């Protein structure tokens, strides 16, 4: 595939990359829509009068190996940012800085004291089996009931009671910071305190990577025959391989190869990203993104592209700042894609809710994007991921990237994966 991992593997290996779409980047790519229009443009129009959105919502480049960040900067200029994010409680119009467990002073004193005591209590002797139990053990009933429970119920589309806890760095607990934040303001903390973003958009980074490789567009793989070592494409052509680097989601690759023995795939959640360009509302916040536990429309996050950079707005609005470019994310269980009619009704509900909050006024663009495999999870005791990867590797299929290896990681780490596996297999054939 021609997402960032596949493009990096192509750069490092010198081997061809086959991408189903007509442009590189996958979900890590930008597109443009003129106010009042519906046509997606791959590049900004010459007059600059278009909103810039991203296929998968706000994809900011955080963390990452310094060498990978240097690689990115060598491809396209980037700007550095310091995170501005919060939890938004709509009924109170309350913004609590993220991570909220370090900012308890934003709640009333009695709640803050109770939450602090529960959060710093000794952990259970036996490790909790599910994400729901882990959150309750880690943060206690007060914070779990107020935020972590309802947020994760939306974020995982209800799976939080069925899946194991993972990515604990997203929900850290430092007792010293928690106590400091209960008395006043704690310093910024978390894995994404700082991030970078290409000045000309993610599409500029993807195109720069593609120019360094041999990328073939419009080539959708529909079958992989591991016995014959052949990839079949939608146009009927077949290509042989010695070693195949694959960045497709692990569950899709297992189905495509027909290999058996790994068992039932672990679950995933899909995300409907609603990109919105609109007149800026009187209460539109200055945050980069907000975590929302209690939206009426069912979304779990709303982000503001244009609070990160004015280049996400039509050129005429750069100085006036009277418009806003937003993304809104709602999760669904994998395989539960809503109908076009349901999406249209949901989009109308979201616009109405954001207007009621005062975040936006009249919309210029409302554009939905469906990400089938957005977040990947594991059931308690599951060995599916390890067995699936081993089966594929035994047939010279090397999975790479966030979805290929069924894990969570950012853009920088996904690029690193591609560079590492591409370099490792450069002389071994691909």
């Amino acid at each position: 595939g021609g997402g960032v991992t596949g493009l990096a593997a192509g750069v490092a290996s010198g081997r061809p990359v086959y991408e189903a779409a007509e442009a590189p980047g996958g979900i890590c790519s930008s597109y443009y829509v003129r106010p009042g229009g519906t046509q997606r443009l791959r590049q900004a129009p010459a007059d600059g009068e278009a909103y810039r959105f991203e296929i998968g919502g706000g994809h900011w480049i955080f963390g990452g190996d310094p060498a990978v960040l240097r690689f990115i900067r060598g491809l396209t200029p980037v700007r550095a940012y310091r995170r501005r994010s919060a939890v938004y409680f709509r009924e109170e119009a309350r913004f609590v800085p993220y991570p909220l467990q370090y900012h308890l002073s934003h709640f009333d004193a009695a709640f803050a004291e109770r939450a602090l005591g529960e959060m710093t209590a000794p952990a259970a002797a036996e490790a909790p089996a599910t994400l729901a139990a882990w959150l309750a053990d880690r943060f206690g009933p007060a914070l779990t009931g107020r935020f972590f429970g309802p947020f994760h119920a939306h974020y995982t589309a209800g799976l939080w009671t069925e899946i194991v806890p993972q990515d604990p760095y997203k929900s850290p607990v430092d007792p010293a910071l928690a106590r400091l934040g209960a008395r006043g303001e704690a310093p910024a903390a978390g894995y994404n305190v700082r991030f970078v973003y290409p000045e000309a958009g993610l599409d500029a980074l993807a195109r720069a990577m593609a120019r360094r490789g041999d990328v073939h567009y419009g080539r959708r793989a529909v079958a992989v025959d591991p016995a014959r070592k052949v990839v079949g494409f939608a146009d009927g052509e077949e290509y042989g391989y010695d070693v195949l680097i694959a960045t497709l989601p692990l569950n899709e690759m297992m189905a495509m190869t027909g290999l058996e023995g790994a068992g039932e795939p672990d679950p995933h959640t899909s995300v409907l990203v609603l990109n919105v360009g609109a007149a800026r509302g009187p209460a539109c916040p200055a945050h980069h993104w907000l975590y929302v536990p209690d939206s009426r429309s069912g979304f779990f996050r709303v982000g503001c592209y244009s609070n990160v950079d004015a280049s996400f707005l039509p050129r005429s609005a750069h100085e006036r700042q009277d418009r806003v470019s937003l993304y809104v994310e709602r999760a669904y269980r994998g395989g539960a894609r809503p109908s076009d009619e349901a999406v249209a009704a949901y989009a109308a509900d979201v616009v109405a809710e954001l207007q009621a909050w005062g975040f936006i006024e009249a919309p210029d663009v409302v554009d939905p994007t469906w990400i089938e495999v957005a977040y990947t999870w594991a059931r308690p005791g599951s060995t599916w991921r390890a067995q699936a990867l081993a089966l594929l590797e035994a047939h010279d299929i090397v999975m790479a990237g966030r979805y290929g290896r069924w894990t969570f990681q950012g853009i920088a780490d996904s690029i690193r994966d591609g560079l590492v596996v591409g370099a490792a297999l450069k002389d071994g054939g691909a």
Side-chain angles (χ1 to χ4, degrees):
V4 293
T5 303
L7 292 172
V11 170
S13 68
R15 303 292 179 171
V17 175
Y18 297 96
E19 166 56 36
E22 297 296 336
I27 66 170
C28 295
S29 56
S30 306
Y31 69 96
Y32 303 81
V33 181
R34 288 187 177 276
T38 58
Q39 181 183 5
R40 291 185 177 184
L41 308 174
R42 291 186 194 141
Q43 298 188 36
D47 62 5
E49 289 303 312
Y51 288 97
R52 184 166 81 216
F53 301 121
E54 293 181 359
I55 294 292
H59 277 81
W60 318 113
I61 304 173
F62 56 82
D65 187 284
V68 175
L69 295 177
R70 182 181 291 272
F71 171 78
I72 293 170
R73 291 188 177 98
L75 292 169
T76 187
V78 301
R79 292 179 181 145
Y81 302 89
R82 189 172 180 83
R83 181 197 70 211
R84 298 197 306 269
S85 67
V87 175
Y88 181 64
F89 297 95
R90 65 176 176 85
E91 291 188 353
E92 310 158 58
R94 184 199 298 265
F95 297 89
V96 179
Y98 170 87
L100 93 166
Q101 60 267 32
Y102 297 158
H103 297 278
L104 295 177
S105 62
H106 287 256
F107 297 98
D108 66 79
F111 178 86
E113 187 66 24
R114 177 188 170 195
L116 181 62
E118 292 173 349
M119 183 171 38
T120 56
E126 189 171 329
T130 67
L131 177 58
W134 181 82
L135 288 167
D137 178 64
R138 194 173 180 89
F139 295 104
L143 281 179
T144 301
R146 190 71 177 271
F147 170 69
F148 288 100
F151 173 79
H152 282 85
H154 286 303
Y155 173 50
T156 68
L159 286 171
W160 73 310
T161 61
E162 306 171 29
I163 55 178
V164 298
Q166 57 194 68
D167 309 322
Y169 61 88
K170 290 184 180 179
S171 301
V173 173
D174 182 325
L177 283 179
R179 285 190 289 269
L180 182 62
R183 296 193 299 267
E185 289 301 312
Y191 67 100
N192 52 10
V193 170
R194 293 178 176 82
F195 61 92
V196 300
Y197 185 81
E199 290 182 5
L202 276 177
D203 52 324
L205 173 61
R207 289 197 304 269
M209 293 175 70
R211 284 194 294 270
R212 289 197 176 188
D214 176 21
V215 185
H216 302 255
Y217 300 107
R219 307 308 308 277
R220 180 175 297 278
V222 295
V224 176
D225 186 335
R228 295 169 52 222
K229 287 195 171 183
V230 166
V231 179
F233 291 90
D235 60 6
E237 288 195 14
E238 291 186 338
Y239 288 3
Y241 64 86
D242 296 317
V243 178
L244 179 66
I245 299 172
T247 59
L248 286 172
L250 184 58
N251 62 336
E252 294 181 14
M253 180 54 71
M254 288 299 291
M256 195 175 288
T257 60
L259 291 172
E260 297 180 351
E264 181 183 0
D266 280 331
H268 68 275
T269 44
S270 306
V271 168
L272 178 61
V273 177
L274 196 66
N275 285 318
V276 179
R280 191 178 187 93
C284 188
H287 297 87
H288 296 144
W289 63 85
L290 302 171
Y291 303 94
V292 184
D294 57 354
S295 71
R296 289 192 302 270
S297 306
F299 55 83
F300 64 86
R301 180 162 46 209
V302 56
C304 188
Y305 297 116
S306 50
N307 282 352
V308 175
D309 200 275
S311 62
F312 283 94
L313 298 173
R315 183 176 295 166
S316 59
H318 285 189
E319 293 186 6
R320 297 197 311 267
Q321 290 287 301
D322 60 345
R323 322 307 285 179
V324 64
S325 179
L326 297 169
Y327 61 96
V328 181
E329 298 174 79
R330 178 176 174 177
Y332 297 77
R333 292 199 180 204
R337 182 169 185 167
S339 67
D340 291 345
E341 293 77 13
V343 171
Y346 165 72
D349 288 344
V350 169
V351 168
E353 184 163 7
L354 294 178
Q355 288 174 328
W357 294 358
F359 284 16
I360 66 172
E361 293 185 340
D364 295 324
V365 177
V366 180
D367 188 64
T369 295
W370 180 256
I371 309 300
E372 174 56 40
V373 180
Y375 294 97
T376 57
W377 310 101
R379 295 185 182 88
S382 173
T383 60
W384 170 77
R385 174 182 177 272
Q387 292 189 27
L389 291 171
L391 276 169
L392 292 166
E393 288 169 3
H395 289 84
D396 294 318
I397 300 172
V398 180
M399 303 303 295
R402 171 174 173 172
Y403 299 111
R405 298 198 67 80
W406 209 257
T407 187
F408 176 84
Q409 60 190 32
I411 293 174
D413 286 343
S414 294
I415 291 174
R416 179 202 59 200
D417 280 4
L419 293 173
V420 168
V421 72
L425 299 178
K426 182 176 182 179
D427 298 323

